[in-house]
Amino acid sequence: VVALHVHPWPMGASSESQEENHVLFLDDEPADADVLKMKSEDLPNGEANDDSCLLIGGVRVPSGCLFDQVAVGGTFDGMHYGHRKLLTLAVSSVNPSSGKLLVGVTVDDMLRKKAYAEQIPKLRERMDGIRDFIYRLAPGIKNRVKLLPIDDEYGPPGTVEYGKDFDALVLSHETLENGCKLNQHREHSLGLPPLALLCTRRTEPHGMSSTALRRRKWEKQQRLEKSKVAK
């Protein structure tokens, strides 16, 4: 048994800064009422929020937190449990009648310095995995989902041309700090309102990181190669 290191909570995660950074934590486990609830004036799109929650795919979504233009981004290598949970939350946060979802996928060139980068599938394979999962999860949203290669820090929500089209960003607590930085960039550099940051926490015991899973794959390959040489 190997203990996994847990990193400190990032900027925006403390209870004091959640309101300031427009952060709403959505969990697959019961949570305190003050975490699941936000005042309507705290939501960038001004939508009202009540006490009820939608439970979709194991993710608790407050019924007032449905958005018209939702973005989610990442590497999405391997489509493990954390990726599926993140995409489920993103789909669940989209207004079911008219909302749209943008999934930004990091291009291969930006991943070369990641640990065990050789284990990361190519962009097309990663995008195919995302598309297959979303289409099976929510067939009715097919025509309102767009997958886009991302080759910069913030993607379309961080641009003057497209930033005004978005009102929410879905992310994990590991990338929450980046979401807070994006909101600062939108407010101070672009003059745009901040996004609602819909954040999942790694509460499940089997929620290993992509890096840890790539390391396991690499170690398995090393053992196989050694066994071949021994023969």
Side-chain angles (χ1 to χ4, degrees):
V1 177
V2 179
L4 297 178
H5 174 67
V6 178
H7 295 285
W9 280 73
M11 178 178 68
S14 66
S15 57
E16 310 84 56
S17 60
Q18 285 180 34
E19 182 174 335
E20 178 184 350
N21 289 286
H22 305 278
V23 178
L24 178 61
F25 283 105
L26 302 176
D27 295 317
D28 55 355
E29 293 181 353
D32 295 336
D34 60 342
V35 174
L36 287 176
K37 293 175 62 179
M38 291 181 71
K39 298 177 182 178
S40 59
E41 59 266 25
D42 294 333
L43 292 172
N45 64 355
E47 292 189 22
N49 188 11
D50 58 27
D51 293 341
S52 60
C53 292
L54 301 176
L55 187 59
I56 305 177
V59 180
R60 297 177 64 86
V61 181
S63 59
C65 293
L66 297 176
F67 298 86
D68 292 323
Q69 297 281 353
V70 178
V72 62
T75 303
F76 297 106
D77 60 311
M79 281 300 294
H80 58 64
Y81 179 88
H83 294 146
R84 298 194 298 272
K85 178 178 175 180
L86 194 68
L87 290 172
T88 299
L89 170 58
V91 170
S92 304
S93 303
V94 174
N95 188 316
S97 60
S98 59
K100 296 181 180 180
L101 173 64
L102 172 71
V103 183
V105 189
T106 309
V107 298
D108 297 332
D109 287 343
M110 294 187 67
L111 304 176
R112 299 186 188 281
K113 294 184 179 180
K114 278 185 171 287
Y116 309 102
E118 69 280 0
Q119 303 295 333
I120 300 177
K122 296 298 183 183
L123 176 65
R124 180 177 295 275
E125 181 179 345
R126 290 183 280 123
M127 293 182 75
D128 286 345
I130 296 167
R131 188 178 293 107
D132 179 66
F133 175 77
I134 292 179
Y135 285 6
R136 287 187 291 110
L137 175 69
I141 203 174
K142 281 185 178 181
N143 296 328
R144 291 183 283 121
V145 175
K146 180 178 182 180
L147 273 67
L148 183 71
I150 298 296
D151 59 4
D152 59 23
E153 186 175 8
Y154 297 133
T159 65
V160 174
E161 184 177 4
Y162 301 107
K164 62 183 180 298
D165 297 333
F166 296 91
D167 49 12
L169 175 68
V170 175
L171 68 176
S172 66
H173 82 261
E174 292 95 338
T175 57
L176 177 56
E177 185 169 344
N178 293 337
C180 293
K181 290 179 180 178
L182 169 59
N183 271 347
Q184 292 175 357
H185 171 69
R186 286 172 60 89
E187 291 187 270
H188 301 152
S189 300
L190 306 181
L192 296 174
L195 303 173
L197 302 180
L198 309 180
C199 185
T200 65
R201 288 186 276 199
R202 185 179 294 165
T203 55
E204 66 283 347
H206 49 292
M208 294 185 67
S209 69
S210 297
T211 302
L213 292 171
R214 292 197 301 272
R215 185 184 68 244
R216 280 191 170 188
K217 186 176 180 181
W218 178 84
E219 290 172 347
K220 182 178 180 180
Q221 290 180 344
Q222 294 300 305
R223 289 194 297 271
L224 288 174
E225 291 178 5
K226 289 181 179 180
S227 65
K228 290 179 181 179
V229 171
K231 293 178 180 180

